């Protein structure tokens, strides 16, 4: 059986951040029992992984998941917490403990520049420790300023409001 995945929301709670969560849940459910054994949401961004504050999204009703498509804000809570530069900092041991406890093999980080920095640091940690954990970023910023990213979720809704 596969490993679990965890989804992290961080940065500003745009009108579309929950639609990314919705899409991830819908796709991940197609792989349950195969590559994926469970789907978790990290409450209040990376702080959920630090404090082992994650919820089992598979326990949520389908109706609740469907509402994510039209729910503004950040359903899991968000954060602007910045991880330390030194991946030997004790914070990373706490994250590692949560990852191991929940058999997490996939980490998705949704957000802008600082969130992608968190994603990068988690990726470096997993690589340094030779962990079988895939870390992926889901770009989301109203500024559309992430390097090597053509369009970010959140940009179009913000631009439409300004025009």
């Amino acid at each position: 059986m596969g490993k679990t995945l965890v989804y992290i929301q961080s940065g500003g709670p745009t009108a579309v951040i929950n639609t990314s969560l919705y899409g991830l849940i819908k796709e991940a459910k197609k792989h349950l029992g195969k590559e994926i054994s469970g789907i978790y949401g990290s409450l209040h961004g990376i702080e959920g992984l630090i404090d082992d504050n994650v919820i089992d999204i598979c326990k949520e009703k389908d109706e609740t998941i469907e509402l994510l498509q039209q729910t503004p804000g950040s359903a899991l809570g968000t954060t602007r917490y910045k991880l330390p530069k030194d991946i030997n900092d004790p914070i990373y041991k706490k994250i590692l403990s949560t990852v191991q406890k929940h058999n997490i093999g996939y980490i998705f980080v949704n957000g802008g520049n600082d969130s992608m920095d968190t994603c990068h640091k988690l990726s470096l940690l997993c690589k340094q420790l030779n962990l079988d954990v895939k870390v992926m970023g889901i770009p989301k910023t109203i500024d559309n300023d992430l390097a090597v990213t053509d369009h970010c979720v959140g940009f179009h809704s913000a631009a439409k409001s300004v025009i």
Side-chain angles (χ1 to χ4, degrees):
M1 186 156 209
K3 293 188 172 199
T4 63
L5 73 76
V6 66
Y7 173 89
I8 298 169
Q9 293 179 322
S10 63
T14 69
V16 296
I17 194 167
N18 289 329
T19 58
S20 294
L21 173 57
Y22 171 81
L24 179 119
I25 292 168
K26 295 300 274 189
E27 184 61 30
K29 282 188 172 186
K30 295 177 186 175
H31 302 275
L32 277 175
K34 302 169 195 153
E35 301 94 349
I36 298 171
S37 60
I39 306 167
Y40 290 105
S42 179
L43 298 180
H44 305 291
I46 189 64
E47 293 177 62
L49 279 187
I50 294 168
D51 299 328
D52 188 21
N53 192 9
V54 298
I55 61 166
D56 185 347
I57 290 177
C58 292
K59 292 182 179 179
E60 298 297 325
K61 294 178 182 177
D62 289 339
E63 297 82 28
T64 303
I65 301 303
E66 289 299 318
L67 287 173
L68 289 171
Q69 296 180 84
Q70 57 196 25
T71 304
S74 178
L76 298 173
T78 187
T79 189
R80 295 224 182 246
Y81 184 92
K82 292 184 183 183
L83 288 174
K85 290 181 182 179
D86 181 5
I87 59 174
N88 295 308
D89 188 283
I91 287 290
Y92 290 100
K93 289 182 182 169
K94 293 175 84 174
I95 292 170
L96 182 59
S97 175
T98 302
V99 166
Q100 291 172 332
K101 176 181 176 182
H102 298 285
N103 192 32
I104 295 170
Y106 308 95
I107 300 172
F108 289 86
V109 182
N110 189 341
N113 289 312
D114 289 334
S115 304
M116 294 305 108
D117 182 63
T118 294
C119 187
H120 179 69
K121 288 173 181 170
L122 292 173
S123 179
L124 291 175
L125 175 71
C126 293
K127 184 176 181 179
Q128 178 178 312
L129 298 175
N130 200 29
L131 299 176
D132 184 21
V133 178
K134 290 152 183 67
V135 184
M136 292 151 275
I138 301 172
K140 183 259 337 154
T141 175
I142 63 169
D143 303 324
N144 204 38
D145 63 350
L146 289 175
V148 197
T149 304
D150 185 45
H151 288 83
C152 291
V153 175
F155 171 69
H156 296 294
S157 58
K160 181 178 172 184
S161 297
V162 171
I163 294 177

